[in-house]
Amino acid sequence: MEGRRERARPLTPEERREALVSATLPLLYTHGRAVTTRLIAETAGVAEGTIFRVFDSKEALVDAAVARAFDPGQIAARIAEIDPAEPLREKLLKITSILQQRFRASFGLMRAMGEMGPPKHAHTESRRTEMRAVRAALVELVEPDADALSVDPAMLVHTLRLLTFAGSNEQIADGQVLTPEQIVDTILHGMLRKD
């Protein structure tokens, strides 16, 4: 028949769950916990009742979206794309950019949600294990340059993460967020004038 449209395949419950979480997360940066199920449904392109067939409550959906925001899997995937053979400064700039984007997004989400720190579910043993794996991957990227360092690669990564964390938080940095170049050059060269 001419002009007849085929219906899209219905989503599985897991696909529907993922679509709702994906639609909710960006809304949280603007509306925080005040986001409405109506707005979530409109953004996801579903009926409002669909939300409650997948989640017990709006709070359960919001919690799932926040959990996604703190999932370290995306960081690990981006870090895995960095070539260990690149020059040290280039690797550190890429690492710092990845971490800074993550930290700034997390700080923005916590601010929008009225939270002072990461949610409880960000502190589970599985999350700690995932973050240890991310740190190990960062150390592995720096290890080919160990002979050029005055500290071991693990200490360089630790210091880089701390400076990136502090330098990416507007409150801690007094409104002067550091650039990846400022962070990396401070780590590699310090702040002494070279005469």
Side-chain angles (χ1 to χ4, degrees):
M1 227 188 244
E2 233 14 78
R4 185 172 165 202
R5 291 173 47 182
E6 273 189 48
R7 280 186 88 184
R9 174 186 68 81
L11 297 177
T12 67
E14 187 56 36
E15 290 170 333
R16 189 171 308 282
R17 177 184 171 80
E18 287 302 308
L20 288 168
V21 167
S22 294
T24 302
L25 185 54
L27 296 172
L28 295 178
Y29 286 94
T30 305
H31 304 281
R33 289 198 179 273
V35 68
T36 64
T37 53
R38 180 178 177 187
L39 182 57
I40 293 168
E42 286 173 4
T43 303
V46 299
E48 195 170 356
T50 300
I51 292 170
F52 300 105
R53 286 196 293 278
V54 179
F55 291 93
D56 293 336
S57 64
K58 179 186 94 169
E59 289 72 29
L61 171 54
V62 168
D63 288 346
V66 171
R68 162 85 59 77
F70 284 90
D71 181 356
Q74 295 172 351
I75 296 175
R78 291 183 64 200
I79 288 168
E81 294 172 358
I82 300 172
D83 182 355
E86 286 188 60
L88 178 61
R89 184 172 186 273
E90 296 309 310
K91 288 188 290 192
L92 294 180
L93 284 171
K94 288 178 180 179
I95 290 168
T96 303
S97 293
I98 292 167
L99 294 176
Q100 190 168 57
Q101 289 167 9
R102 170 60 178 258
F103 290 146
R104 293 197 52 139
S106 297
F107 297 145
L109 181 59
M110 288 186 301
R111 201 169 29 256
M113 301 291 289
E115 303 287 337
M116 294 302 293
K120 285 182 234 158
H121 55 266
H123 298 291
T124 64
E125 188 54 40
S126 65
R127 291 287 162 98
R128 283 191 284 274
T129 300
E130 290 173 337
M131 286 311 299
R132 282 193 294 271
V134 167
R135 283 192 294 275
L138 294 175
V139 171
E140 193 175 310
L141 277 172
V142 175
E143 281 177 342
D145 301 287
D147 290 344
L149 302 175
S150 63
V151 297
D152 67 38
M155 179 53 77
L156 181 133
V157 166
H158 176 71
T159 307
L160 180 71
R161 287 181 65 245
L162 286 176
L163 186 55
T164 303
F165 179 86
S168 302
N169 185 314
E170 290 183 17
Q171 283 79 21
I172 294 172
D174 296 326
Q176 297 181 32
V177 172
L178 300 176
T179 66
E181 290 79 10
Q182 290 170 320
I183 293 167
V184 169
D185 289 341
T186 298
I187 295 292
L188 288 179
H189 308 297
M191 300 185 85
L192 291 175
R193 185 184 323 215
K194 309 291 188 262
D195 292 328

